[in-house]
Amino acid sequence: MAHIAKTTADLEAQMEAMRKKGAENRLEDGRFVGLGEEGVFDEDIYSAPAKKGKFEGYVTSIGGQEEEDDDEEEMRPGLGRQAAYKVAQTAIRETAASGQDVDPMAEHRRARVIDRENDYQKRRQRIQLSPDRLDPFADGGKTPDVASRTFSHVMREQGVKRDTQEVRQQLAEKAKAGELHSVGNGEAKPAAKKRARWDVATPDVTAVASVSGSEATPLQPPKWDSTPSHVPAGSSTPSAPSGVAHWAATPVAAAAPALKRNRWDETPRATSGAETPAAAGWAETPRADRTPGGGQETPSVSKRKSRWDETPQATPSAMTPMMTPNMTMATPFGVKAMGMATPTPGHLMNMTPEQIQAFRFEKEMDDRNRYLTDEELDALFPPGYKVLPAPAGYQPIRTPTRKLLATPTPMSGVGGFFMQTEAAASSNKNILNAQPQDPELPMLKPEDTQYFDKLLQEVDEENLSPEEQKERQIMKLLLKIKNGTPPMRKSAMRQITDKARTFGAGALFNQILPLLMSPTLEDQERHLLVKVIDRVLYKLDDMVRPYVHKILVVIEPLLIDEDYYARVEGREIISNLAKAAGLATMISVMRPDIDNIDEYVRNTTARAFAVVASALGIPSLIPFLKAVCKSKKSWQARHTGIKIVQQISILMGCAVLPHLRSLVEIIEHGLEDEQQKVRTITALSLAALAESAAPYGIESFDSVLKPLWQGIRTHRGKGLAAFLKAIGFLIPLMDAEYASYYTREVMIILIREFSSPDEEMKKIVLKVVKQCCGTEGVEAQYIRDEILPHFFRAFWNHRMALDKRNYKQLVETTVEIANKVGASTIIAKVVDDLKDENEQYRKMVMETIEKVLEALGSADIDNRLEEQLIDGILYAFQEQTTEDVVMLSGFGMVVNSLGKRCKPYLPQICGTILWRLNNKAAKVRQQAADLISKVAGVMKTCNEEKLMGHLGVVLYEYLGEEYPEVLGSILGALKGIVNVIGMTKMTPPIKDLLPRLTPILKNRHEKVQENCIDLVGRIADRGAEYVSAREWMRICFELLELLKAHKKAIRRATVNTFGYIAKAIGPHDVLATLLNNLKVQERQNRVCTTVAIAIVAETCSPFTVLPALMNEYRVPELNVQNGVLKALSFMFEYIGEMGKDYIYAVTPLLEDALMDRDLVHRQTACSAVGHMALGVYGFGCEDALNHLLNLVWPNIFETSPHMAQAFMAAVEGMRVSLGPLRLLQYVLQGLFHPARRVRENYWRVYNTLYIGAQDAMVAAYPKVPNDGNSVYERCELDYVL
């Protein structure tokens, strides 16, 4: 396209040139270029006037030394330098990413929770599940067991942790300042060498001599000294003398010097029980090289030897406690030794999936390469072979080199060194099989093994203890819920809910909660497990009290999850937990976490407390909050208490109003706290309370106005930001006079902070400016004079456009200012920036203009500003490098807002659209088509029908578009033109357009389907006569496929289109097509077909459809009959009171359906009866309805939820049409039946009747005769007027 048309004449000339060009691309006989034939090149791209050969005009060789010429870019009139064809941005991004490590399967992987968590959220993994706590309310509050874990235990633990943290912090500060020195005997000494093991006794510095006989250098006391204990007389280690401190080192006898020795290289030897190894390494077994006297000699150390070459020897079990299991004489097995154990199912719980995979591979290699046994060799060889004896002196290699070089896999659990026997090898052969022994259970994932490994072992469940059986049963149900199919999951969920009290809280939560802590958990799995907790909480009720903290540890992280639905689930669980456990338990469990040293724990606890307050009521928590917020023991407690108030206001919104004064009084002292963080959170809490209470409650904040006012003058940084935020939310609550005064006063500080470099401060300043400017009492002239110059100078710059949060806040604040000072003032200040070089900044300007015009219109925009605006949006629209919806919607809003004033600019706008429709980039073409649909209404208003006709022709020619997104937009643009121009003036004519749309209906892209079916439906509604009936029938067959669409909007449009087509060509052919479609298997397809039949009946009157529909019921096929019944149900729903003419015709059919054995038959028939009964109310059809009620009533005992719902719908319809008295007569028969299940059903119906017609039922209550004590007769009901 050489240039953009600016007049109608230029546009027509361009259109004519495009049509001629299309005609030249055909061969002389009118056919298009065939496959394999020589075609015509697009001369805009390949300019070659007269080519003689196939490759004429192309460079046939690449010059080695030639320099590339700098091609000049095309200059388009008025648009600056821009190439006619651009590389698509998606291609650029793909090329840039090709050098990186791109995972091609990333989009197909299931989302894991840990993958989208930030560092702060990942801190949840550091928190461990606490032990069970005592329920003080259990067993009537009797005295708890001494060994149980109570509130005081937890508080002591928290105190120790806090003290430890403080000491470490002090040490770190001293080390940083260079004041930290090692001290011994009052003198500074060089730092002692770090001691390697915790169990090596610390020698007495006064008693141990050095090797040379000189005095030994005193060593630094270790951090964890040996615990003093009673030692019998005569042993080598005497008990501590009275003068020694409680944590002093264990004294040892002065003996041979303790030389450095290796930890692993000693062969354990027998020792006497009286000796304590003084310099033993980790888990060293005592040795027997002592003097016979025993107890007189401190053990010496041996020379360094190899670590791995010693054979374990027998050791008496009494020597080293806890390191040698009972009396098996096996190798000591401390934590280090366990790292070398052969993996068993118990070990696998600490293996990552990668380690499990590697171990599985190694094990398979071992099994394949192991030595053949004698039995296997006998089976392989024929008889006659014998085993030759080994040569004399032959020693087989017990440890192959490969095994020596392999690094043992670190694992934990019990076990030590042992030689693996053949039997053990064969028994472990299938240990990592992912399929549990029960074939009905789903497969295990590698990461599931540590939780469900017991299901991999084949055991006789009858021989297990009741607890083990219970554990195994829960494990099976959880595996089905986690990994099973939807039906399997549903069944397991119901079982685990029903048996929750049987299983017990401990057995359930000890398996569910570790699963929720798994680092490999997926989003869907977490959702399912949280649902399990929710269900069992309801059943367990107060049995959950000992496990409340465990549940909170797992659920609280959900409250800060980025996924909204995860946060809602977390609130739901904590709310139910609070209702089940009670306020006292919740407070006692969560109180220790309020002043926890970890800020993450305090944050999540505050959010959880807010949920508890919403569940149990704010008043119940106020006394506790009052005590916490005034805590003198720790500022963390005060901080968390005030944060709880903030979270309560955020969570509960205007529900804080009744308690507003109490909440403000609780936290007001925090504004003058000595801790900066407490002052900041107090101001933020007041801001949250004011935001929730708006526009009421200013009187509750009287006591904090003065401290806040002083605070904004004395604070800087984050503290000032918080105080400003509080003032900003309080000003809108004030009367107009006060609001004006406070705004003028606070604006001085705000204008000073306009230049702050802090992003958070900028966001808060913008928010406060928005609040102040939107408040009644602040005059427009004051804003123009005092705020606008500073505001635009400080905030309207490129940097603000780059930060998404500030960008959004700036646009909102500018729109709020525009509401006061007018649209033209703001637009005049930013309109020139539509031509700014920064694209992100141009988008921000466009979005601001769009929202200002949307809110205020364009009435006060003068001609000069109008020209600038149109020129700016054309420039910004064409200079996009990434096509964004902001530019599109902004362009559409400006054009629609100006309305008729756009008429002079429409040729230029349409020229731009046509130029972009011919662009090489798909996104550009799509955006141009979308713009047509936005401006079509304005073109109609400006009487530019000829221009729209041109656009319609161009869009028609582009219906061969290969990109589905672009094709969908083109169809949307055609739909917009058809809507406004009408069927008669449409070019191309409808008879040409519709056959071109029929094949597009086969496209499976949702956007294409939706826009195409909308367009076809509009034509069928308004211009059906322009198209032959044969074409409409062809479209009907295509529409049947669209009933399978996933998107509901497509199915709805398709069903409506059937109605339009039936109205155009008569119902019979369309109905035949639809009835035939009832035979398909897919349920969704059949349901949509029945809706379409009902719409056809509504459109063309029911008598045209009903005979064929009732005849179809005779087909002895379940799907067809159910479809007919559902179609009748929808039909009676749609036709309403017209049903009075057809009720007697369909009663025999419904009678047959209500007596059918198939549950779904009766269910659908009940639904049809309900709709019919509501439609014929007041038309005298009670006889037929009463007959149908007699057939409906036996279904009162059905247990299926869907059937029960359909039955209640029919009964409700009957209550309206037959009256509640008739229904009450049916209900009274079973209200007092001896069987509970019968009574329950009848009472359910009675309750529904009572809710719907309480007063009308009085007259039909049965007469009860008086007895000796009571009078039941109500004579007033016998009056006849």
Side-chain angles (χ1 to χ4, degrees):
M1 192 77 56
H3 65 281
I4 295 176
K6 295 189 177 180
T7 64
T8 308
D10 290 348
L11 194 61
E12 288 180 3
Q14 277 192 11
M15 296 293 308
E16 191 61 33
M18 288 170 70
R19 277 197 289 274
K20 284 181 182 177
K21 189 172 175 183
E24 290 169 5
N25 286 346
R26 303 170 186 261
L27 296 180
E28 292 179 1
D29 59 355
R31 293 184 293 106
F32 282 96
V33 179
L35 184 65
E37 299 179 19
E38 186 175 344
V40 181
F41 290 106
D42 185 347
E43 293 182 6
D44 280 351
I45 306 173
Y46 309 105
S47 53
K51 299 179 182 177
K52 297 177 182 177
K54 187 173 180 180
F55 300 106
E56 185 76 23
Y58 287 93
V59 179
T60 55
S61 64
I62 300 174
Q65 302 298 324
E66 293 179 10
E67 291 185 3
E68 192 175 342
D69 295 332
D70 291 333
D71 294 331
E72 291 186 11
E73 294 179 343
E74 265 191 327
M75 297 291 289
R76 291 190 275 125
L79 294 177
R81 295 166 63 86
Q82 183 168 356
Y85 293 96
K86 290 183 176 179
V87 179
Q89 289 295 312
T90 51
I92 294 174
R93 284 193 291 270
E94 285 175 11
T95 309
S98 61
Q100 304 167 4
D101 293 333
V102 180
D103 183 1
M105 301 301 291
E107 59 185 17
H108 302 291
R109 284 201 169 83
R110 297 181 67 176
R112 294 192 313 170
V113 177
I114 200 169
D115 293 336
R116 56 180 172 75
E117 286 183 328
N118 56 33
D119 291 339
Y120 184 75
Q121 289 168 328
K122 283 179 182 173
R123 287 163 70 173
R124 68 181 176 86
Q125 296 172 353
R126 301 192 317 208
I127 302 171
Q128 296 179 345
L129 292 174
S130 62
D132 303 347
R133 297 192 182 178
L134 173 78
D135 178 9
F137 303 102
D139 302 324
K142 70 174 185 179
T143 306
D145 183 14
V146 181
S148 57
R149 196 161 183 263
T150 60
F151 176 76
S152 57
H153 288 93
V154 179
M155 290 301 291
R156 276 199 296 272
E157 289 171 13
Q158 291 288 348
V160 170
K161 285 182 184 176
R162 196 180 307 110
D163 294 344
T164 308
Q165 180 71 14
E166 287 174 4
V167 169
R168 284 179 177 167
Q169 193 172 349
Q170 290 171 8
L171 289 173
E173 289 170 0
K174 286 186 176 181
K176 191 174 180 181
E179 301 170 1
L180 192 64
H181 303 291
S182 300
V183 179
N185 294 335
E187 298 179 281
K189 300 288 181 184
K193 205 169 186 180
K194 186 180 175 183
R195 196 180 55 171
R197 311 307 310 170
W198 61 268
D199 57 342
V200 179
T202 308
D204 189 343
V205 293
T206 60
V208 179
S210 63
V211 177
S212 61
S214 62
E215 187 176 344
T217 305
L219 299 177
Q220 179 187 355
K223 189 160 57 172
W224 300 104
D225 291 310
S226 304
T227 306
S229 61
H230 175 71
V231 182
S235 59
S236 62
T237 309
S239 56
S242 59
V244 183
H246 184 62
W247 293 104
T250 307
V252 295
L259 298 177
K260 185 177 183 332
R261 58 183 298 259
N262 189 271
R263 300 179 190 175
W264 299 100
D265 56 357
E266 285 297 319
T267 303
R269 284 171 288 179
T271 61
S272 60
E275 295 173 349
T276 302
W282 178 269
E284 184 192 356
T285 307
R287 294 169 292 133
D289 53 349
R290 312 288 189 256
T291 56
Q296 303 302 317
E297 183 184 11
T298 302
S300 61
V301 293
S302 63
K303 293 181 181 178
R304 182 175 179 85
K305 296 162 64 178
S306 169
R307 298 184 180 186
W308 305 102
D309 55 359
E310 291 292 348
T311 307
Q313 292 184 5
T315 309
S317 60
M319 295 307 162
T320 309
M322 299 302 293
M323 302 313 292
T324 305
N326 48 54
M327 294 294 291
T328 56
M329 305 305 175
T331 307
F333 62 103
V335 177
K336 295 290 184 185
M338 283 191 278
M340 302 301 135
T342 303
T344 64
H347 296 137
L348 297 175
M349 65 176 61
N350 289 328
M351 289 176 72
T352 63
E354 291 79 11
Q355 286 175 321
I356 291 176
Q357 193 68 27
F359 175 66
R360 183 182 294 169
F361 175 75
E362 184 182 348
K363 190 166 188 320
E364 185 179 351
M365 290 298 102
D366 288 348
D367 288 345
R368 289 186 181 184
N369 298 319
R370 65 183 173 82
Y371 290 116
L372 295 175
T373 62
D374 290 346
E375 292 78 9
E376 288 169 331
L377 288 171
D378 289 342
L380 285 172
F381 294 119
Y385 286 86
K386 66 176 181 178
V387 181
L388 293 174
Y394 170 71
Q395 292 293 331
I397 300 175
R398 296 294 182 193
T399 312
T401 309
R402 180 178 61 82
K403 290 292 185 186
L404 280 173
L405 294 177
T407 305
T409 307
M411 299 170 202
S412 63
V414 294
F417 292 108
F418 66 93
M419 297 301 292
Q420 190 169 356
T421 62
E422 195 68 31
S426 60
S427 66
N428 288 342
K429 192 167 187 179
N430 296 321
I431 202 84
L432 290 176
N433 184 10
Q435 175 61 50
Q437 295 297 325
D438 187 348
E440 293 182 2
L441 294 176
M443 295 277 285
L444 265 66
K445 299 175 185 174
E447 59 268 22
D448 293 339
T449 314
Q450 56 181 314
Y451 305 107
F452 300 105
D453 57 335
K454 291 184 180 178
L455 297 179
L456 296 173
Q457 302 168 7
E458 189 170 2
V459 295
D460 184 3
E461 295 193 12
E462 294 181 359
N463 296 332
L464 296 176
S465 67
E467 291 302 319
E468 289 174 333
Q469 288 180 0
K470 198 184 294 183
E471 180 192 10
R472 198 171 177 86
Q473 197 173 353
I474 294 171
M475 208 176 280
K476 287 180 180 179
L477 292 173
L478 288 176
L479 182 60
K480 286 180 180 178
I481 290 169
K482 186 173 181 290
N483 292 356
T485 58
M488 190 185 293
R489 191 182 301 148
K490 190 175 180 182
S491 166
M493 190 77 80
R494 189 179 293 120
Q495 286 183 56
I496 204 168
T497 308
D498 293 342
K499 296 180 181 177
R501 292 190 79 88
T502 309
F503 289 144
L508 282 166
F509 291 128
N510 287 339
Q511 293 201 49
I512 297 171
L513 299 180
L515 274 173
L516 273 165
M517 298 285 281
S518 168
T520 55
L521 201 65
E522 296 172 4
D523 282 324
Q524 172 70 1
E525 292 172 346
R526 182 177 70 176
H527 165 71
L528 294 168
L529 292 170
V530 166
K531 189 190 281 188
V532 173
I533 292 183
D534 198 17
R535 299 273 180 90
V536 300
L537 272 183
Y538 177 74
K539 286 283 186 181
L540 291 170
D541 202 37
D542 58 355
M543 290 171 65
V544 301
R545 283 180 182 150
Y547 307 94
V548 168
H549 192 263
K550 278 188 175 183
I551 298 170
L552 287 174
V553 165
V554 174
I555 299 299
E556 279 177 353
L558 292 180
L559 298 177
I560 57 170
D561 198 279
E562 63 181 24
D563 181 20
Y564 168 76
Y565 296 101
R567 296 198 300 273
V568 170
E569 280 179 341
R571 288 185 206 133
E572 185 75 15
I573 295 282
I574 294 174
S575 177
N576 292 343
L577 187 63
K579 290 170 186 171
L583 180 66
T585 301
M586 297 302 290
I587 289 178
S588 67
V589 165
M590 297 166 74
R591 165 63 190 89
D593 291 338
I594 280 181
D595 52 355
N596 194 291
I597 51 175
D598 189 351
E599 188 274 333
Y600 173 87
V601 175
R602 298 200 305 272
N603 180 17
T604 52
T605 302
R607 291 166 192 267
F609 256 119
V611 178
V612 172
S614 70
L616 303 178
I618 295 176
S620 61
L621 215 59
I622 280 181
F624 172 72
L625 286 176
K626 193 175 291 185
V628 169
C629 292
K630 294 184 178 177
S631 166
K632 295 180 180 177
K633 191 174 180 183
S634 73
W635 69 266
Q636 287 98 336
R638 296 196 299 276
H639 183 278
T640 310
I642 295 168
K643 188 163 193 170
I644 292 170
V645 175
Q646 180 201 25
Q647 293 300 323
I648 288 173
S649 58
I650 291 170
L651 184 64
M652 300 189 67
C654 62
V656 301
L657 267 173
H659 322 288
L660 189 58
R661 188 179 292 277
S662 303
L663 292 172
V664 172
E665 287 172 357
I666 285 172
I667 65 173
E668 63 184 1
H669 66 276
L671 291 173
E672 297 166 351
D673 197 276
E674 69 270 9
Q675 273 286 337
Q676 172 66 39
K677 288 184 178 178
V678 176
R679 296 197 296 271
T680 303
I681 194 66
T682 307
L684 292 175
S685 298
L686 289 169
L689 285 170
E691 186 178 12
S692 301
Y696 309 106
I698 185 61
E699 60 280 352
S700 300
F701 294 96
D702 288 341
S703 59
V704 296
L705 281 176
K706 186 178 178 182
L708 283 173
W709 209 246
Q710 291 170 342
I712 61 173
R713 286 171 166 74
T714 56
H715 285 77
R716 288 289 183 273
K718 285 187 177 179
L720 174 61
F723 276 70
L724 281 174
K725 187 175 184 180
I727 292 280
F729 278 105
L730 284 173
I731 286 176
L733 310 187
M734 298 177 183
D735 296 334
E737 182 185 349
Y738 290 105
S740 175
Y741 169 76
Y742 275 97
T743 298
R744 289 171 184 272
E745 291 296 320
V746 82
M747 199 53 69
I748 301 166
I749 295 170
L750 285 174
I751 291 171
R752 184 192 74 201
E753 293 300 323
F754 277 1
S755 56
S756 170
D758 183 24
E759 297 297 326
E760 196 65 29
M761 175 63 90
K762 280 185 180 176
K763 193 158 73 70
I764 287 175
V765 166
L766 284 170
K767 184 77 173 172
V768 176
V769 170
K770 178 191 170 187
Q771 299 273 19
C772 294
C773 293
T775 304
E776 187 183 352
V778 180
E779 299 89 1
Q781 193 58 43
Y782 170 74
I783 296 174
R784 279 197 198 95
D785 297 342
E786 300 295 332
I787 300 176
L788 278 190
H790 303 287
F791 178 78
F792 277 94
R793 185 169 60 250
F795 291 116
W796 277 89
N797 50 49
H798 293 176
R799 185 178 175 187
M800 289 296 288
L802 297 176
D803 184 356
K804 192 68 179 172
R805 288 166 64 193
N806 285 345
Y807 164 115
K808 186 179 177 185
Q809 190 66 57
L810 178 58
V811 171
E812 288 177 2
T813 305
T814 309
V815 172
E816 192 65 50
I817 293 174
N819 289 336
K820 274 289 172 68
V821 302
S824 58
T825 306
I826 297 298
I827 292 175
K829 284 189 172 290
V830 299
V831 70
D832 290 335
D833 291 336
L834 283 169
K835 293 187 175 182
D836 192 89
E837 59 189 11
N838 186 303
E839 183 175 4
Q840 191 64 26
Y841 185 64
R842 290 199 303 266
K843 283 181 187 173
M844 186 168 76
V845 174
M846 181 70 98
E847 188 172 338
T848 304
I849 291 173
E850 176 196 351
K851 290 190 174 178
V852 168
L853 289 176
E854 183 182 9
L856 303 171
S858 56
D860 61 340
I861 293 179
D862 58 20
N863 289 335
R864 171 68 184 148
L865 187 55
E866 173 191 309
E867 289 175 6
Q868 285 180 293
L869 192 56
I870 293 291
D871 186 40
I873 61 171
L874 276 170
Y875 177 88
F877 187 72
Q878 291 171 87
E879 291 296 320
Q880 300 173 80
T881 55
T882 55
E883 284 63 38
D884 198 330
V885 70
V886 173
M887 288 295 180
L888 178 65
S889 55
F891 200 125
M893 176 54 67
V894 170
V895 172
N896 281 288
S897 180
L898 291 172
K900 278 191 173 182
R901 295 164 68 180
C902 265
K903 187 175 174 67
Y905 313 110
L906 282 179
Q908 187 176 358
I909 290 171
C910 290
T912 302
I913 290 172
L914 286 172
W915 188 86
R916 290 176 77 82
L917 270 176
N918 204 25
N919 198 293
K920 187 177 179 183
K923 281 276 187 186
V924 176
R925 298 198 301 274
Q926 177 186 339
Q927 201 184 38
D930 286 334
L931 186 57
I932 293 176
S933 60
K934 285 186 177 291
V935 302
V938 176
M939 293 170 78
K940 170 69 175 173
T941 308
C942 297
N943 296 317
E944 292 285 357
E945 292 175 356
K946 191 173 182 183
L947 205 53
M948 279 196 286
H950 285 319
L951 288 175
V953 171
V954 174
L955 291 170
Y956 175 74
E957 291 174 355
Y958 279 113
L959 283 175
E961 172 65 54
E962 61 175 325
Y963 288 93
E965 290 284 350
V966 184
L967 180 56
S969 295
I970 289 170
L971 289 166
L974 274 171
K975 182 176 67 175
I977 291 174
V978 168
N979 283 344
V980 297
I981 202 173
M983 299 296 158
T984 52
K985 298 179 182 177
M986 180 65 190
T987 51
I990 297 298
K991 65 181 178 60
D992 294 338
L993 177 60
L994 193 72
R996 189 72 183 80
L997 296 176
T998 310
I1000 297 176
L1001 286 170
K1002 289 188 173 74
N1003 195 306
R1004 284 292 160 263
H1005 193 274
E1006 283 188 347
K1007 185 179 178 184
V1008 175
Q1009 282 181 334
E1010 190 171 1
N1011 285 323
C1012 191
I1013 192 62
D1014 279 345
L1015 182 53
V1016 170
R1018 191 54 53 94
I1019 292 171
D1021 187 23
R1022 298 185 183 176
E1025 64 273 13
Y1026 297 106
V1027 184
S1028 66
R1030 186 186 297 267
E1031 186 65 34
W1032 283 124
M1033 279 310 298
R1034 189 178 297 120
I1035 286 173
C1036 274
F1037 285 112
E1038 296 294 343
L1039 290 179
L1040 290 177
E1041 287 298 309
L1042 289 176
L1043 292 176
K1044 300 176 185 174
H1046 293 293
K1047 199 172 182 182
K1048 192 175 182 180
I1050 298 172
R1051 300 199 299 271
R1052 190 187 295 122
T1054 305
V1055 163
N1056 290 331
T1057 305
F1058 272 114
Y1060 299 138
I1061 295 174
K1063 190 176 181 180
I1065 67 173
H1068 303 294
D1069 292 332
V1070 177
L1071 189 61
T1073 308
L1074 290 171
L1075 288 174
N1076 197 44
N1077 205 43
L1078 286 176
K1079 295 183 174 67
V1080 299
Q1081 288 297 317
E1082 192 180 0
R1083 181 182 175 276
Q1084 180 181 289
N1085 206 332
R1086 282 186 280 114
V1087 170
C1088 291
T1089 303
T1090 59
V1091 177
I1093 292 171
I1095 287 178
V1096 170
E1098 182 191 15
T1099 310
C1100 304
S1101 297
F1103 68 84
T1104 58
V1105 171
L1106 212 48
L1109 196 58
M1110 293 174 68
N1111 185 60
E1112 197 71 19
Y1113 188 77
R1114 297 167 61 189
V1115 175
E1117 191 178 333
L1118 208 59
N1119 284 346
V1120 175
Q1121 292 182 342
N1122 282 336
V1124 170
L1125 289 168
K1126 194 167 276 292
L1128 284 174
S1129 175
F1130 285 127
M1131 186 187 81
F1132 280 109
E1133 183 182 0
Y1134 294 162
I1135 66 175
E1137 62 185 33
M1138 289 169 61
K1140 69 181 187 300
D1141 301 319
Y1142 307 101
I1143 181 171
Y1144 293 102
V1146 299
T1147 295
L1149 187 148
L1150 291 172
E1151 182 182 328
D1152 178 80
L1154 286 167
M1155 291 190 296
D1156 199 284
R1157 292 183 63 186
D1158 181 39
L1159 184 72
V1160 180
H1161 255 59
R1162 286 181 276 127
Q1163 174 189 320
T1164 319
C1166 282
S1167 181
V1169 169
H1171 291 304
M1172 185 197 301
L1174 288 171
V1176 301
Y1177 166 59
F1179 288 102
C1181 304
E1182 283 79 7
D1183 50 349
L1185 290 175
N1186 209 91
H1187 178 58
L1188 290 170
L1189 176 59
N1190 290 330
L1191 296 163
V1192 166
W1193 196 257
N1195 293 291
I1196 191 172
F1197 299 115
E1198 288 295 344
T1199 55
S1200 163
H1202 296 290
M1203 181 68 229
Q1205 189 178 5
F1207 171 79
M1208 291 306 295
V1211 168
E1212 284 284 274
M1214 293 293 183
R1215 177 180 63 78
V1216 173
S1217 295
L1218 286 176
L1221 307 186
R1222 180 63 57 87
L1223 266 297
L1224 183 62
Q1225 291 169 349
Y1226 280 78
V1227 170
L1228 285 172
Q1229 304 168 30
L1231 282 181
F1232 304 103
H1233 194 279
R1236 181 176 56 83
R1237 291 203 174 185
V1238 175
R1239 289 198 309 273
E1240 279 179 352
N1241 292 324
Y1242 275 88
W1243 276 103
R1244 189 175 73 244
V1245 178
Y1246 174 79
N1247 289 336
T1248 310
L1249 283 178
Y1250 187 84
I1251 291 168
Q1254 176 183 352
D1255 52 345
M1257 289 165 56
V1258 175
Y1261 285 149
K1263 285 190 175 183
V1264 181
N1266 297 337
D1267 57 23
N1269 299 321
S1270 305
V1271 177
Y1272 298 111
E1273 288 183 1
R1274 289 156 297 166
C1275 300
E1276 62 271 16
L1277 293 179
D1278 295 332
Y1279 298 159
V1280 178
L1281 299 178

